[in-house]
């Protein structure tokens, strides 16, 4: 076990503020001026609430008072005179109605007529009648269009007055002028309605002159100060008068809403509060309130400490702005008190009464902290303690002539204002907030997508706090800051109801800007956002609040982040939102980057410690304490736990991966993954050691599963820590599991192949036997099974995602060897079965086997007399063709597998890591000798018919059989062209034995020859050809090449491809051999004689004995006769091709036809010329007539094998490129030399020999050998000296590693054969000329000398390149 996991990391360094393990206290240090007691705060809140009750608008009730009728006195001023104020400035835009006013006035008039108007004075029936009369005239289109165009006030007023007088005169007797006063009042109501429309749409602010003149006109029309909604106004004075009487105050708490709020906040009953009010009622009077305002104004003028001074503001402009608004508010408050208690004005001289003063109007004169819930100076609602909203001049109420003010700052000269208004306000605010949050009857706000449901101040508490701030002259910003300070204190003290939602809601609450008065809205916005207008104390306190909240939130964030690795950690979203929105985005907050970095460092260390603890818990859970119980499963489970946690953390913090500069995933991974890697390494090594000590092996699948888990962990590790290496060398520790698996696979591959072949019936895979199989159905299941197994073993290693390229390439190389072994096993087994099926005896042969020797001679004589050849068609088994299809399918599947494995890339990786040749250790090499048994000539005849049926068996010196060729029937110059691979580690002697096949009895030995295979003689890896003389008669040609068997993936794939192709060629050759006998029968010299002699007659026999007579002229055969001679062959081909076409694939079918075409060419060539040799031949040269027949046969056969459809013109047979092979061109060129004289042929041969020598000389500067060395026709010195190297290695294993390289090599061979003409065909013609015997021998010696010189040049050049001029015996590595 690693030290890092068994010992604590000791991450103990913390900031002092983060040392507590739990959710500790969040207390801060905020010194206060003095201690406010509960009773003091209660009394000051109570007196302000009581004062609000005293100053509230008095309630009135209607009372009927009978009185004698009084004469009506109407002002003598006419309406036209009243409108002169508008007429004098009729061209001024400021006195015209705004656009859109007429439509709004129409809507308002409609509301009056429909009874929807809230003002009581408009509900009178008479008023509605006069308004209806005007409405009819107003909605007339011409008048309405003119009014919308001119928008003049006097036109509208005069039209209303005209319609009102007409309506009110109706039904009045002559002399009754009471309606005139009613008309003035109704016109005043109309003017008031106009003013209301202007004010509701904020048009009065843009046209102050118009609003002022409308107000003046209304006041002039309201003569004698009549109430427009009173009964006398509505009904007239004839029936008495009705007056409104002010209801006297009850001074009971039940009628005091704000007093009840104070009682609830401070937890007192109404009775207790009533007692206190009764006690202090003589002191808490309107006069005392007025005196407080006067004293406050005096202190304000004296720049006393009891009010704010210029020193309390950051800038003088801010102080001047505040002072201007303060004077306005004081005047309004004094006027409200005087209006509530008119008797207070009697004690003041008339010249000192407040007067309206429009020049004092200021847009900054306003107050209000809670715009959405509180009344304002401009609000006329009953909640406000003052109702005057007119600019007044309070200079006359200066307290200078009143009672003097004490100069002692420690005394409190006020009745309603406490000695420390900020402290008292803060205390009461805290009590109110606590009460409201605990009030279950208070409904929470509606939750939104951005904010949850929260509870803050109630409407009643808001009114109380607003009244306190107003009466105590607390700056609006101070109220906001103090309220935030209370929330700060409650949140830090961790009171249960003060959560993050409360804190967030309160920030939003104080920032909310939805006041009813746009004038006050602008003022409040300016105060909240323009920090230059704040007082110094508020700025400092606000900064302290933000700093304290930041510290508390960071502490909470730290504690929450310590739980981030738990299954269900707390959500950090609310904290981050508050920090971002309300702390960091605030310009007043300032925090050094060093402090934030220090927090990030502490948080990172804390997360590392938590990750360490988490890993320790996983380790204890998944890994047993006893080492003997350890298994790979425990390491896997531990890794899964670690990666699962990492994935959860990655998903959890996907959108915001970093928290305050700390990435939880990074802290987790960089802590637990190195620990896991070290522990996994130690545990795995310990498990392997224990297994080795006990002689047991860990299951391979456990090793694979462990590797997959470790790779996943390493991938995560690399993503998070790209520059830190993974501590566990996974591949080096677990590679043995892969090698074990490969060795087990290699030992089982032959069994897999044998089982697949055993279970295969080698039939086409059709559902119905009568169904014609498709191309995909023409191979059987065994080849599919073995390649399915090959793909599975390759995929098993690929799916490991092995991360070591060199090891992976070595794995693929070993698997390529396994695949090659499986393919070799499959090919060998299938070919043996195929050969057994094809070598079976026909029924006639079985019958002949039971005959006696005498019966055999009689039958032979009878057949000879009847001119009958024993040509019997062979009955092919469909299973044999399926086997050939399987080999073809295997080649394509292996080619596909070769591309998927990416063989070239694997070889390149191994080559890039290979040591230099000088540093490589010498080891025993295996060498692959490829022996091609080409042909034999002049064999001994072993059969009664003067021929033999030869085949060759290769064996070693220990009489071990290495290979066997096919049987070539009735031929003393057979050609096999079959190859075999022999693997050896040193020199090996091989023996080639030629046997004669007999259907009955033992096979006869034709002759033997031996050859020593020594790797030292093949150091250049070039092929050599040997003519070996048999010990009886004749000789045999072997072509030998050597290639080192390398542990190389390209070599193994190439060897497997060559095995498949060789098996495919051998099986194809066996099939074509069954047909070649009939080809030789039809394309024979006997057939030629029959055509030219028209059969044997008596005259032909007599002519034979009369040799001295001149020969008679014979008639040449017709085209039909020539064609008919081939009809049996064509019919034979058609019958066999029809059978093959039912089973063979198209590729295999073309392959068989191609091989048959080669047999045709060989047969035709044999008709024309004898084989190439340095000895004269007894074969007779054909006549011109016979030559013409042969070439016509060749053309007919060419067309037959090409198989062009007469209707479509499409070729269905062998492609032209295959038909026109080099041998085909050699045969066609015979026509040019066949009847040339011997001298002419010799001269042509010499010219070609000279050209060949010149080409060889030009090629000596290159490393390749010259063309046409050691011709197979000549033995002699070239054969005895061990075989000179030929020009190329067309059948090299490396050139056969896939179908592409094999096809390319074949194309190059054809191009080389066509581009390098030689005199072989001329020499073969000369063999039929006895006079050319000497030239044939001279030409043979010449070619031997050229071959020896070329071989010597190559050896010298290779020695110079390999050893710097020295000869070396080391074999070069490929």
């Amino acid at each position: 076990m690693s030290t890092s996991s068994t010992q604590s990391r000791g991450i103990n360094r913390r900031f002092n503020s983060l040392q507590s393990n739990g959710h500790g206290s969040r207390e801060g240090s905020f010194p206060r001026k003095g201690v406010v007691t509960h009773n003091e705060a209660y009394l000051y809140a109570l007196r302000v609430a009581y004062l609000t009750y005293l100053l509230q608008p008095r309630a009135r009730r209607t009372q009927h008072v009978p009185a004698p009728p009084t004469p009506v006195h109407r002002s003598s001023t006419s309406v036209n005179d009243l409108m002169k104020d508008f007429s004098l400035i009729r061209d001024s835009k400021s006195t015209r109605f705004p656009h859109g006013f007429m439509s709004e006035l129409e809507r308002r008039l409609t509301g009056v007529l429909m009874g929807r108007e809230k003002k009581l004075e408009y509900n009178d029936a008479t008023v509605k009648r006069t308004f209806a009369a005007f409405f009819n005239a107003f909605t007339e289109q011409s008048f309405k269009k003119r009014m919308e165009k001119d928008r003049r006030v006097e036109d509208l007023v005069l039209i209303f007055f005209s319609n009102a007088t007409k309506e009110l005169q109706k039904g009045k007797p002559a002399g009754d002028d009471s309606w005139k006063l009613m008309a003035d009042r109704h016109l005043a109501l109309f003017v008031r309605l106009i003013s209301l429309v202007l004010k509701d749409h904020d048009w009065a602010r843009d046209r102050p002159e118009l609003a002022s003149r409308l107000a003046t006109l209304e006041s002039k029309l309201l003569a004698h100060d009549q109430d427009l909604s009173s009964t006398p106004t509505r009904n007239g004075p004839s029936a008495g008068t009705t007056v409104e009487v002010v209801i006297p105050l009850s001074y009971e708490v039940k009628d005091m809403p704000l007093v009840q709020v104070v009682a609830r906040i401070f937890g007192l009953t109404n009775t207790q509060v009533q007692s206190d009010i009764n006690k202090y009622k003589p002191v808490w009077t309107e006069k005392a309130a007025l005196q407080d305002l006067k004293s406050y104004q005096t202190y304000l003028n004296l720049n006393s400490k009891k009010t704010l001074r210029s020193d309390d503001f950051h800038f003088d402009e801010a102080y001047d702005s505040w002072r201007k608004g303060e004077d306005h508010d004081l005047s309004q408050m004094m006027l409200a008190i005087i209006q509530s208690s008119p008797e207070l004005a009697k004690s003041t001289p008339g010249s000192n009464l407040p007067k309206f003063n429009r020049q004092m109007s200021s847009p900054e004169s306003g107050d209000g902290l809670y715009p959405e819930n509180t009344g304002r100076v401009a609000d006329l609602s009953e909640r406000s303690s003052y109702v005057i909203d007119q600019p007044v001049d309070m200079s006359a109420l200066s307290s200078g002539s009143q009672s003097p003010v004490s100069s002692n700052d420690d005394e409190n000269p006020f009745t309603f204002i406490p000695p420390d208004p900020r402290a008292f306000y803060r205390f009461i605010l805290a009590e109110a907030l606590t009460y409201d949050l605990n009030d279950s009857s208070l409904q929470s706000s509606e939750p939104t997508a951005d904010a949850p449901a929260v509870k803050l101040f109630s409407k009643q508490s808001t009114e109380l706090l607003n009244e306190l701030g107003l009466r105590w002259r607390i700056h609006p910003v101070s109220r906001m800051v103090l309220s935030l300070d209370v929330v700060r204190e409650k949140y830090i003290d961790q009171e249960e109801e003060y959560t993050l939602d409360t804190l967030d809601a309160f920030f939003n609450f104080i920032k909310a800007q939805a006041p009813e008065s746009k004038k006050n809205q602008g003022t409040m916005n300016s105060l909240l956002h323009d920090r230059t207008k704040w007082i110094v104390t508020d700025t400092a306190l606000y900064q302290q609040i933000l700093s304290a909240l930041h510290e508390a939130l960071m502490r909470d964030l730290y504690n929450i982040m310590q739980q981030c690795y738990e299954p269900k950690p707390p959500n950090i979203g609310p904290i981050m939102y508050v920090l971002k929105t309300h702390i960091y985005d605030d310009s007043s907050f300032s925090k050094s980057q060093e402090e934030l970095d220090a927090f990030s460092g502490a948080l990172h260390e804390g997360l590392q410690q938590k990750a360490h603890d988490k890993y320790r818990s996983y380790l204890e859970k998944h890994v047993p304490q006893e080492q003997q119980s350890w298994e790979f499963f425990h390491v896997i489970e531990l890794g899964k736990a670690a990666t699962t946690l990492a994935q959860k953390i990655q998903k959890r913090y996907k959108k915001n991966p970093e928290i305050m500069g700390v990435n939880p995933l990074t802290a987790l991974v960089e802590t637990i993954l190195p620990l896991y890697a070290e522990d996994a390494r130690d545990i795995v090594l310990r498990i392997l050691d224990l297994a080795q000590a006990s002689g047991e092996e860990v299951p391979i699948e456990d090793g694979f599963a462990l590797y997959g888990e470790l790779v996943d962990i390493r991938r995560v590790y690399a993503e998070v820590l790209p520059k830190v290496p993974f501590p566990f060398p996974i591949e080096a520790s677990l590679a043995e599991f892969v090698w074990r698996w490969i060795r087990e696979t290699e030992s089982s591959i032959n069994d897999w192949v044998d089982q697949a072949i055993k279970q295969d019936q080698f039939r086409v895979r059709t559902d119905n036997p009568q169904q014609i199989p498709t191309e995909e159905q023409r191979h059987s299941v065994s080849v599919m099974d073995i390649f399915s197994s090959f793909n599975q073993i390759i995929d098993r290693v690929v799916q490991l995602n092995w991360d070591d390229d060199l090891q992976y390439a070595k794995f693929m190389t070993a698997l390529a060897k396994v695949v090659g072994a499986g393919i070799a096993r499959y090919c060998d087994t299938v070919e043996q079965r195929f050969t057994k099926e094809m070598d079976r005896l026909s029924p006639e042969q079985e019958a002949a086997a039971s005959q006696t020797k005498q019966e055999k001679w009689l039958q032979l004589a009878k057949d000879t007399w009847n001119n009958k050849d024993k040509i019997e068609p062979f009955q092919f088994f469909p299973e044999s063709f399926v086997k050939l299809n399987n080999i073809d399918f295997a080649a394509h599947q292996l080619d596909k597998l070769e591309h998927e494995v990416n063989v070239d890339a694997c070889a390149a990786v191994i080559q890039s890591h290979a040591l230099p040749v000088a540093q490589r250790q010498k080891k025993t090499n295996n060498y692959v000798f490829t022996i091609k048994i080409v042909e034999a000539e002049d064999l001994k005849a072993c059969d009664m018919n003067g021929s033999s049926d030869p085949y060759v068996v290769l064996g070693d010196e220990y009489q071990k059989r290495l290979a066997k060729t096919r049987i070539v029937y009735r031929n003393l110059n057979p050609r096999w062209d079959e190859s075999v691979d022999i693997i050896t580690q040193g020199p090996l002697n091989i023996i080639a034995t030629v046997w004669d096949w007999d259907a009955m009895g033992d096979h006869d030995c034709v002759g033997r020859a031996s050859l020593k295979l020594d790797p030292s003689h093949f150091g250049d890896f070039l092929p050599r050809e040997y003519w070996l003389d048999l010990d009886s008669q004749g000789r045999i040609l072997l072509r030998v090449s050597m290639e080192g068997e390398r542990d190389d993936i390209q070599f193994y794939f190439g060897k497997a491809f060559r095995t498949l192709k060789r098996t495919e060629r051998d099986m194809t050759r066996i099939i074509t051999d069954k047909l070649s006998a009939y080809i030789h029968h039809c394309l024979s010299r006997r057939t030629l004689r029959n055509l030219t002699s028209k059969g044997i007659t008596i005259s032909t026999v007599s002519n034979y004995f009369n040799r001295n007579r001149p020969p008679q002229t014979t008639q040449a055969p017709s085209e039909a006769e020539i064609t008919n001679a081939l009809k049996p062959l064509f019919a034979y081909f058609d019958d066999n091709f029809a059978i093959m076409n039912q089973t063979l694939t198209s590729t295999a079918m073309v392959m068989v036809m191609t091989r048959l075409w080669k047999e045709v060419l060989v047969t035709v060539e044999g008709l024309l010329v004898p084989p190439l040799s340095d000895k004269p031949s007894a074969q007779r040269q054909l006549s011109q007539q016979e030559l013409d027949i042969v070439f016509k046969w060749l053309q007919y056969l060419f067309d037959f094998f090409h198989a062009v459809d007469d209707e479509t013109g499409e070729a269905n047979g062998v492609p032209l490129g295959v038909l026109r092979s080099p041998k085909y061109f050699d045969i066609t060129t015979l026509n040019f030399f066949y009847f040339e004289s011997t001298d002419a042929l010799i001269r042509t041969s010499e010219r070609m020999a000279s050209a060949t020598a010149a080409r060889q000389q030009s090629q000596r500067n290159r490393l390749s050998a010259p063309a046409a060395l050691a011709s197979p026709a000549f033995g002699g010195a070239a054969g005895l000296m061990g075989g000179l190297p030929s020009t190329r290695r067309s059948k090299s294993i490396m050139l056969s590693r896939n179908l592409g390289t094999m096809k390319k090599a074949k194309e190059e061979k054809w191009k080389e054969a066509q581009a390098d003409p030689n005199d072989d065909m001329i020499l073969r013609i000369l063999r039929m000329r006895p006079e050319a015997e000497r030239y044939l021998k001279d030409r043979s010696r010449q070619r031997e000398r050229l071959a020896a010189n070329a071989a010597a040049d190559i050896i010298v050049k290779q020695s110079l390149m390999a050893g710097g001029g020295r000869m070396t015996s080391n074999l070069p590595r490929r």
Side-chain angles (χ1 to χ4, degrees), residues 380-405:
L380 299 181
S381 67
E382 296 180 355
R383 292 175 298 169
S384 183
S385 58
Y386 50 88
V387 295
I388 301 298
D389 190 20
Q390 297 292 339
V392 295
D393 184 4
M394 297 297 296
S395 59
L397 285 177
S398 175
S399 60
S401 61
Q402 305 297 326
S403 58
V405 178

Side-chain angles (χ1 to χ4, degrees), residues 1255-1276:
R1255 283 197 306 272
Q1256 292 176 355
Q1257 184 64 33
S1258 66
Q1259 292 176 355
R1260 286 182 180 178
N1261 295 329
R1262 294 180 293 177
L1263 294 179
S1264 61
L1269 295 180
S1271 171
F1274 298 98

Side-chain angles (χ1 to χ4, degrees), residues 45 171 229 272 343 375 436 475 637 706 840 853 914 1009 1147 1168 1330:
S229 61
Q272 293 173 322
E343 64 274 7
D436 288 341
H475 194 276
E637 290 301 311
L706 176 62
R840 72 185 187 276
K853 190 173 183 180
T1147 305
L1168 297 175

Side-chain angles (χ1 to χ4, degrees), residues 602-631:
L603 178 59
H604 187 75
E605 291 183 2
L607 292 180
Q608 284 183 322
Q609 181 61 47
K610 290 296 182 181
H612 185 275
D613 297 341
K614 198 70 177 177
Y615 175 75
R616 289 281 300 172
S617 65
Y618 287 157
L619 189 65
E620 295 174 358
K621 177 180 179 181
H622 296 290
V623 180
Q625 294 293 332
E626 299 80 9
Q627 295 185 4
Q628 288 74 14
S629 303
W630 286 353
E631 296 180 2

